[in-house]
């Protein structure tokens, strides 16, 4: 059946721009991590007592060891680019209801002192200029504008 | 009560289309279930239990199991919802298999479905991930898979043209499948000329968004002779769901570090050991693999043991995975041709069942006896099932 005819015959209802707000808990260590970014522009990781791995994003259980983690360790705001993409297709960000500004560089980053990786923006949209292993550094939102979220880091930049 | 062997005795699938406005979700489910019941010579009354799955956030309906009872036929019967992201359809198949293999149920219906047209797929996928660490910068499946493709090319020297070969192969196969969504003759140049969605992944490299459903009936060995079709036997299953955050998988995904795709490699090792597979390219007659984008058709072949590390491009270009090759991959057209996400993993299982039963029509691999079906999802998770014409010597988890 032709698409136009199909649309005339079969009805749909639109939800409209509905909002269903949530309030998520960051937990003890997640709160510490985000507070330190907000107030001091400092990264912290958490260390497994069994395998010694340092996790960023922070969490309270090392999955493979199934061990509780409590020891916070400082982690650098610089690190290495592991892999990346340049996102160029348009989509609505469900967290904001707004069109995501594209293109944007999207990267997996290993901060110095961490064993797990972080995912964030990279301030470069030419894939030819990006390569695994490149050194990167966090660029923070300016003072007074940081709210305690991962977006307090504006993006990472190539050093 | 010992473990029972289980076979697939009925398959039902809807046509896969970008938008099925002519049916509601419940009606779409019903279309697949009726087809599966007809195919197995049963009525709703004969079914002992139902396992159903989709990704709730695509339609925004959170009690799909109860909402759909009229259409699914679950009214008054034991029903279980299983939802594991992209692997949902294969997880539903494994759940139905476990029900029968437990010896507690004789006839169990597995249902996977999705109406991806009812919401924005990327937005919905983002809500499956962590609101603190992942969502602020995540660009859904396209962006996540692009990170993998970049890493794969950097570490192996594979090219975008190598990946395009996979998209051409699968969509060409789909021409033989009247149920498939994208059925087209294409070529590498055409794929290469499509726009980048998230470098290095182009529009032509990605699966479509699809509306569709699939239903499969699993039956116990005690009654498997009572149906019009010879059963397609489950020889073994394995799965791994290793990671939670989108950035976690990359820690271990390195050619040089020795581990490539840990979830898939660990599930594969367990499954092949159980079933006795040492050379998948020679031993499997057919494979229906959840390849959500073209690069997966290179890299996942390596993790599934069809070739060595970095051997994906040479393998697919050799023609061994084409129709008429040693082990045709995705005779149905696969996920690159149709991706109604909750149905997709179950369709892989259904397609392998039809192949080993000799009922796959124009897409039949002649004489297929043993096949592999996989599901892929989320943070590099893997479900895997071996399905065969011969009855296995025992039931295997
Ligand atoms: Zn540990």
């Amino acid at each position: 059946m032709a698409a136009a005819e199909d649309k005339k015959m079969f009805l749909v209802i639109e939800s409209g721009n509905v909002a269903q707000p949530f309030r998520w808990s960051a937990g003890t260590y997640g709160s510490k991590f985000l507070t330190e970014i907000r107030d001091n522009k400092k990264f912290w990781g958490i260390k497994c007592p069994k395998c010694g791995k340092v996790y960023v994003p922070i969490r309270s259980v090392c999955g493979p060891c199934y061990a509780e983690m409590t020891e916070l360790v400082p982690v650098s705001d610089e690190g290495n680019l592991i892999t990346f993409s340049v996102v160029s297709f348009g989509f609505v960000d469900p967290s904001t209801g707004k069109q995501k500004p594209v293109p944007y560089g999207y990267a997996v980053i290993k901060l110095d002192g961490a064993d797990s990786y972080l995912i964030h923006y990279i301030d470069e949209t030419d894939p030819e200029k990006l390569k695994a292993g490149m050194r990167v550094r966090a660029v923070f939102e300016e003072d007074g504008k940081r709210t305690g979220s991962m977006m307090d880091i504006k993006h990472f930049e190539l050093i | 009560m010992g473990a029972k062997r289980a076979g697939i005795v009925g398959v039902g699938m809807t046509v896969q289309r970008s938008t099925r406005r002519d049916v509601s979700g419940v009606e779409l489910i019903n279309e697949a279930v009726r087809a599966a019941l007809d195919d197995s010579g049963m009525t709703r009354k004969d079914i002992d239990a139902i396992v159903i799955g989709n990704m709730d956030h695509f339609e925004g309906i959170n009690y799909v199991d109860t909402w759909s009872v009229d259409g699914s036929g679950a009214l008054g019967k034991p029903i279980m919802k299983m939802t594991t992201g992209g692997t949902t359809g294969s997880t539903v198949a494994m759940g139905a298999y476990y029900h029968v293999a437990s010896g507690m149920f004789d006839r169990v219906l597995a249902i996977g479905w999705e109406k991806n047209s009812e919401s924005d797929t990327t937005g919905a996928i983002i809500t499956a991930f962590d609101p603190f660490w992942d969502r602020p910068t995540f660009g859904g499946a396209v962006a996540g898979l692009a990170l993998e493709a970049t890493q794969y090319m950097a570490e192996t020297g594979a090219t975008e043209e190598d990946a395009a070969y996979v998209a051409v192969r699968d969509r060409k196969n789909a021409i033989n499948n009247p149920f498939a969504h994208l059925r087209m003759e294409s070529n590498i140049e055409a794929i290469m000329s499509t726009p980048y969605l998230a470098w290095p992944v182009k529009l032509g490299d990605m699966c479509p968004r699809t509306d569709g459903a699939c239903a499969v009936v699993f039956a116990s060995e005690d009654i498997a002779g009572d149906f019009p079709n010879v059963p397609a036997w489950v020889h073994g299953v394995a799965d791994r769901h290793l990671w939670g955050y989108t950035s976690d998988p990359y820690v271990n995904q390195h050619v040089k570090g020795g581990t490539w795709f840990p979830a898939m490699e660990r599930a594969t090792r367990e499954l092949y050991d159980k079933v006795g597979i040492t050379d998948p390219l020679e031993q499997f007659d057919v494979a229906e693999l959840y390849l959500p984008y073209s690069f997966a058709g290179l890299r996942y072949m390596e993790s599934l043991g069809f070739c060595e590390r970095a051997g994906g491009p040479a393998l697919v270009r050799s023609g061994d995975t084409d129709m008429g090759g040693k082990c045709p991959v995705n005779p149905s057209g696969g996920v690159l041709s149709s991706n109604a996400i909750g149905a997709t993993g179950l369709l892989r299982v259904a397609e392998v069942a039809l192949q080993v039963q000799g009922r796959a029509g124009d897409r039949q691999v002649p004489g297929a006896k043993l096949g592999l079906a996989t599901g892929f999802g989320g943070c590099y998770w893997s479900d895997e099932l071996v399905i065969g014409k011969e009855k296995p010597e025992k039931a295997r988890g």
Side-chain angles (χ1 to χ4, degrees):
Chain A
M1 197 180 304
E5 197 183 329
D6 209 85
K7 281 192 175 168
K8 204 168 156 190
M9 185 179 291
F10 303 115
L11 305 183
V12 298
I13 55 165
E14 300 272 351
S15 69
N17 290 322
V18 293
Q20 166 63 314
F22 291 89
R23 276 180 297 279
W24 293 294
S25 297
T28 303
Y29 300 104
S31 299
K32 168 78 176 169
F33 179 91
L34 293 169
T35 305
E36 283 289 317
I37 296 274
R38 183 190 65 195
D39 298 344
N40 303 316
K41 298 195 278 189
K42 261 194 76 65
F43 282 92
W44 289 84
I46 195 161
K47 189 171 181 178
C48 174
K50 279 195 171 170
C51 68
K53 279 198 172 126
V54 174
Y55 285 89
V56 180
I58 213 158
R59 62 201 73 183
S60 62
V61 178
C62 172
C65 300
Y66 208 59
E68 189 185 355
M69 299 188 283
T70 57
E71 187 191 348
L72 293 169
V73 294
V75 164
S76 175
D77 60 359
E78 295 184 2
N80 287 328
L81 187 60
I82 298 294
T83 185
F84 60 89
S85 171
V86 176
V87 180
S88 47
F89 74 106
F91 63 94
V92 172
D93 183 346
S95 304
T96 62
K98 293 189 179 117
Q99 197 73 29
K100 195 85 165 171
V102 290
Y104 68 86
Y106 181 53
V108 177
I109 290 151
K110 180 186 183 299
L111 296 177
D112 297 343
D115 294 295
S116 76
Y117 300 161
L118 194 67
I119 218 142
H120 216 288
Y121 296 135
I122 179 88
D123 186 25
E124 176 56 65
T125 56
D126 180 356
E128 299 298 324
K129 294 189 177 144
L130 294 168
K131 201 168 185 303
M134 282 179 154
R135 296 289 296 164
V136 298
R137 170 170 54 214
V139 176
F140 295 92
E141 190 58 81
E142 52 194 90
D143 291 349
K145 282 195 173 176
R146 295 190 298 276
T147 59
S149 94
M150 283 304 278
M151 296 323 294
D152 288 350
I153 306 155
K154 283 166 77 173
H155 52 249
F156 282 76
E157 65 180 7
L158 294 171
I159 297 175
Chain B
M1 191 159 53
K4 298 286 186 183
R5 288 169 287 189
I8 291 167
V9 298
V11 162
M13 49 184 84
T14 68
V15 290
Q16 312 282 311
R17 293 292 179 267
S18 63
T19 311
R20 286 287 312 271
R21 287 174 75 118
D22 59 319
V23 284
S24 69
V26 176
E27 291 165 350
L28 184 73
I29 290 165
N30 187 247
E31 203 176 295
V33 171
R34 277 183 191 280
L37 290 174
D38 287 350
D39 190 48
S40 56
M42 284 196 272
T43 68
R44 191 189 84 82
K45 287 197 176 66
D46 302 315
I47 297 295
D48 300 325
I50 288 173
V51 182
I52 190 168
N54 69 312
M55 285 175 76
D56 321 55
H57 40 286
F58 286 128
E59 296 82 9
I61 291 162
N62 296 321
Y63 287 124
V64 156
D65 42 348
T66 52
W67 166 78
S68 64
V69 289
D70 288 340
S72 67
L75 203 68
K77 294 179 188 288
I79 184 165
M80 180 183 285
K81 182 174 89 170
M82 300 181 83
T83 180
T84 61
T87 44
T88 291
S90 43
T91 300
V92 163
M94 290 166 68
Y97 169 65
Y98 293 144
H99 273 69
V100 173
S102 76
M104 298 178 74
F105 301 90
D106 284 336
R107 304 165 198 83
V108 177
L109 178 64
I111 305 167
W113 73 283
E114 211 75 74
K115 286 204 81 180
N116 277 108
S117 70
E118 294 191 345
S119 69
D120 179 66
T121 302
T122 294
I125 286 176
I126 291 170
T127 66
F129 289 84
D130 189 89
F132 290 95
W133 316 119
D134 288 330
R135 288 193 206 182
T137 54
F138 192 35
V142 182
L145 292 167
L147 296 173
E148 178 192 53
T150 304
Q151 192 178 42
Y152 179 75
M153 289 199 301
E155 298 205 0
T156 64
T159 65
E160 294 175 49
E161 285 84 354
D162 291 331
Y165 188 97
V166 175
V168 173
R169 178 196 69 197
D170 282 15
R171 295 198 185 115
K172 184 177 175 194
N173 287 350
I175 294 171
N176 292 326
N177 179 4
F179 296 96
H181 173 183
L182 295 182
R183 306 165 69 194
M184 55 202 279
E185 194 75 56
S186 184
N187 56 57
I188 290 173
E189 295 69 40
I191 302 289
M192 290 299 293
S193 69
T194 58
Y196 285 109
L197 299 177
W199 187 93
V201 175
K202 296 171 292 300
L203 181 63
D205 293 309
M206 277 308 297
C207 59
R209 313 169 1 150
T210 304
D211 285 359
C214 180
V216 173
V217 183
F218 290 77
S220 162
E221 58 180 308
D222 296 342
I223 56 156
D226 299 351
F227 303 96
N229 306 312
V230 296
W233 295 98
V234 179
H235 284 228
V237 303
D239 80 293
R240 292 289 188 281
H241 290 76
L242 291 180
W243 318 113
Y245 298 135
T246 54
S247 50
D248 283 346
Y250 301 95
V251 178
N252 294 297
Q253 290 189 174
H254 285 281
V255 153
K256 290 163 195 150
T259 321
W260 197 209
F261 183 163
M264 190 173 277
E265 285 167 27
R266 289 176 204 175
T268 299
R269 194 176 316 133
E270 180 195 322
L271 181 61
Y272 289 4
D273 282 351
K274 283 194 290 202
V275 178
I277 301 294
T278 51
D279 186 347
L281 188 63
E282 296 293 338
Q283 287 174 274
F284 290 128
D285 302 305
V286 62
E288 279 284 343
L289 308 179
Y290 196 129
L291 308 176
Y293 77 134
S294 61
F295 292 85
L298 307 172
R299 196 176 103 127
Y300 302 178
M301 300 313 290
E302 301 163 21
S303 292
L304 290 167
F306 282 78
C307 58
E308 58 197 22
R309 300 272 160 83
L315 173 68
V316 299
R317 286 179 182 275
S318 74
D320 283 346
T321 64
D322 293 349
M323 291 303 279
K326 278 183 183 169
C327 178
V329 170
N330 296 338
S332 69
V335 187
L336 281 156
S337 300
S338 313
N339 194 12
I341 299 181
T344 298
L346 189 57
L347 278 167
R348 307 281 73 71
V349 173
E351 288 287 347
V352 173
L354 291 175
Q355 289 285 350
V356 301
Q357 290 173 319
R359 303 199 294 139
D362 290 344
R363 58 194 188 279
Q364 180 68 45
V365 174
K369 286 196 175 70
L370 193 69
L372 175 67
T374 67
F376 166 89
C379 297
Y380 300 95
W381 304 324
S382 195
D383 284 351
E384 302 173 24
L385 302 89
V386 174
I387 296 161
K389 184 185 171 81
E390 306 295 332
K391 199 170 176 176
E393 63 266 29
K394 59 175 180 154
R396 302 188 189 95

